[in-house]
Amino acid sequence: MKMKREHRPLLVILAGLFTVLVVFVLVAAFNYRSGVNDLSRSLSEAGTRLAEKLAQHEAHLTALAAVVRMGEQEPSKSVHGLAEAIGAFYPRITEIATIRVDGQQAAKVRYDRPAGPEAEGLGSAGLPALAALGSTAVRSQPGEKQYEIYKLVAPGFYLLMTIDAGGLIADGLLPEDYGYRLWLGENRLVERPSAAKALLDATRSLDVNSATQPLRLEVSRGFRAMELLPPLVILPLVLLLAVAICLLAEYRRVIRAGRQQERRAALLEQETKLAHAGRVNALGEMASGIAHELAQPVAALLSQSQAARRAITLERRDILEQALDANVREAKRAGDILGRMRAYIAGGTSQIETVPIERALAEAMRLAEPDLARRGITVDTVVASGDCMLRIDMIGFQQVIHNILRNAAESLAGQDDPRISIRAEGSNGQAVFTIADNGPGIPSSALPHIFEPFFTTKSDGMGLGLPLCARLIEKMDGSIEATNAGGARFTVRLPLEVSQ
Ligand code: ADP
């Protein structure tokens, strides 16, 4: 399907918008991906540091267990000293105690008190669960921020360490705008939501590497629109794209203009060729026309000259004079034809003169009358023009009338009672000449073509008489047409001199 030319700018705009959209999506995807990579890197670093902290808890428990096992009576001073030191350096360790279970009774001694070990009663509530614990166990109460680590020191004797989970990631372990959650099993110990009011969120989680404290760290971050599509990246890109689209549009315009110019040049070349062909054609037409028009005066000159020869032999001075007069007339006519053709070829104006209708017709007829008389053709002439004046090129007009009459005469060959009727009238600023014969008429298939150059139905015809007539009449601002009415009928219209 071909797109209409007027829709093309719309297509360019749509393609531009689509490209901008694709660029936006690519930039956003790139920024999102690198943001998520940062998140994963931070998570992995935080996981490593968290694992180190958990390992510290294990080390403290091992050290405490070793001191407890030394067998000092409870409350032990050595254990208290160590517990105090641990508590001072690690504020997140909020409780260090021993628990001794004896049947249904349990005794707890807290060593984290600065004042000294402190015996504390312990209800029987947690004891069965405690008894089921292995060598090291971790517990936390739902909704609490802390968790407890129990370490079995001797049968029925446990070390307890309570950790404030909030202290584990409080010290800038993760970037400010990251959110995090620290889980122990299903218990969420601590949570910080991510800062941004985000367009998109990303979350990654990690099981902290510890044999005793199975914590899971989850970090999340939001992406604001500005982070995904930073104006400093987007603006130059959009500008670049706009410039590229403008350049493309300009390029297309230049290419199109170039093509149009090529087309125009080709058209011009074609027109020039046609005009040249037309000129050559017209020239050929003209040359044939000259030959055609001169054929008659030359033939007449020949026959009159032969008549003159005979007159000399017969010593008939009168016939000789007649023949010489006719020769002079024909030679003049041939000269006139040549002069008119020369003027026509040179593009000069024909000699327009003002002549009364009657005289114009009489002069034109004079040329044809001897031939018509010889052929035995009756000519009826009616002039109903008053004293109307024609504006014509006299020689051209004679040529037209002569051509029409010659054609009529030729069509009447072999006809009974051959007749030509000529009517001239003038009215409403126009002279109308009607020349009709009683011959066979113009074949209807030929009628539309008789004014075309080289159209003829005669074996010896040239088909130039009527085209020449049409051209001459046109030059005099008139018109000529042909129809059949009995025989052929030609109507010539010419302008009349406008009376002052
Ligand atoms: P040509 O006489 O050499 O054929 P023209 O241009 O004078 O060339 O005439 C063109 C054709 O018009 C003629 O061949 C003929 O068929 C037709 N024609 C012209 N005048 C008459 C007429 N009076 N009667 C019948 N046919 C005519």
Side-chain angles (χ1 to χ4, degrees), residues 292 403-404 406-412 435 437 439-443 446 449-452 454-458 460-469 484 487-490:
H292 176 79
N403 267 320
I404 295 174
R406 195 196 62 222
N407 276 338
E410 283 174 3
S411 80
L412 290 171
I435 301 166
D437 60 60
I442 304 161
H449 305 292
I450 57 172
F451 291 103
E452 291 168 11
F454 306 110
F455 178 85
T456 178
T457 57
K458 301 169 190 167
D460 58 344
M462 288 180 77
L464 279 168
L466 289 179
L468 223 60
C469 289
N484 283 317
R489 188 174 73 193
F490 285 82

Side-chain angles (χ1 to χ4, degrees), residues 18-277:
F18 181 72
T19 315
V20 167
L21 198 75
V22 168
V23 168
F24 275 27
V25 168
L26 286 177
V27 170
F30 176 80
N31 285 329
Y32 179 78
R33 213 187 129 97
S34 69
V36 169
N37 284 346
D38 287 349
L39 184 72
S40 300
R41 203 174 318 113
S42 291
L43 174 67
S44 142
E45 282 168 15
T48 309
R49 286 179 61 189
L50 214 54
E52 284 166 8
K53 288 183 178 182
L54 301 190
Q56 286 167 352
H57 302 159
E58 282 167 25
H60 295 326
L61 277 172
T62 309
L64 282 165
V67 177
V68 166
R69 280 200 199 95
M70 283 183 349
E72 207 178 307
Q73 271 294 322
E74 279 209 292
S76 158
K77 273 197 171 152
S78 319
V79 174
H80 180 248
L82 185 55
E84 233 190 330
I86 293 171
F89 278 104
Y90 301 96
R92 66 174 184 273
I93 302 176
T94 53
E95 183 184 13
I96 295 171
T98 55
I99 297 172
R100 196 175 291 277
V101 182
D102 188 7
Q104 288 302 308
Q105 293 301 311
K108 180 178 182 182
V109 180
R110 286 193 66 161
Y111 285 98
D112 54 278
R113 304 290 194 223
E118 197 179 295
E120 215 175 67
L122 198 67
S124 56
L127 290 179
L130 206 55
L133 292 175
S135 64
T136 310
V138 175
R139 284 196 327 186
S140 71
Q141 300 297 327
E144 277 191 5
K145 272 180 80 176
Q146 55 187 27
Y147 67 94
E148 298 157 345
I149 313 170
Y150 294 88
K151 185 175 173 72
L152 188 66
V153 182
F157 190 44
Y158 298 90
L159 253 176
L160 164 66
M161 191 181 271
T162 304
I163 313 290
D164 172 17
L168 279 173
I169 19 181
D171 50 351
L173 193 66
L174 287 164
E176 282 296 304
D177 54 338
Y178 282 16
Y180 60 78
R181 285 184 185 136
L182 191 62
W183 298 84
L184 178 66
E186 292 303 307
N187 269 0
R188 188 172 58 211
L189 298 169
V190 278
E191 176 179 24
R192 182 177 81 183
S194 57
K197 202 165 168 14
L199 194 71
L200 272 176
D201 283 304
T203 304
R204 295 287 181 274
S205 68
L206 168 103
D207 288 325
V208 183
N209 184 17
S210 163
T212 52
Q213 300 144 79
L215 299 185
R216 186 159 52 86
L217 177 62
E218 194 178 284
V219 290
S220 61
R221 64 161 296 184
F223 293 89
R224 280 166 308 181
M226 289 287 218
E227 285 173 300
L228 292 174
L229 300 171
L232 273 178
V233 176
I234 286 300
L235 278 180
L237 263 177
V238 169
L239 270 176
L240 215 70
L241 250 157
V243 169
I245 288 171
C246 287
L247 282 177
L248 190 80
E250 181 59 15
Y251 171 75
R252 283 171 59 102
R253 198 189 60 74
V254 168
I255 292 282
R256 212 173 300 145
R259 273 199 212 124
Q260 260 170 12
Q261 208 163 353
E262 270 172 31
R263 262 202 298 271
R264 265 201 298 274
L267 219 65
L268 203 70
E269 198 183 335
Q270 214 167 2
E271 270 172 18
T272 314
K273 275 185 190 162
L274 265 174
H276 179 70

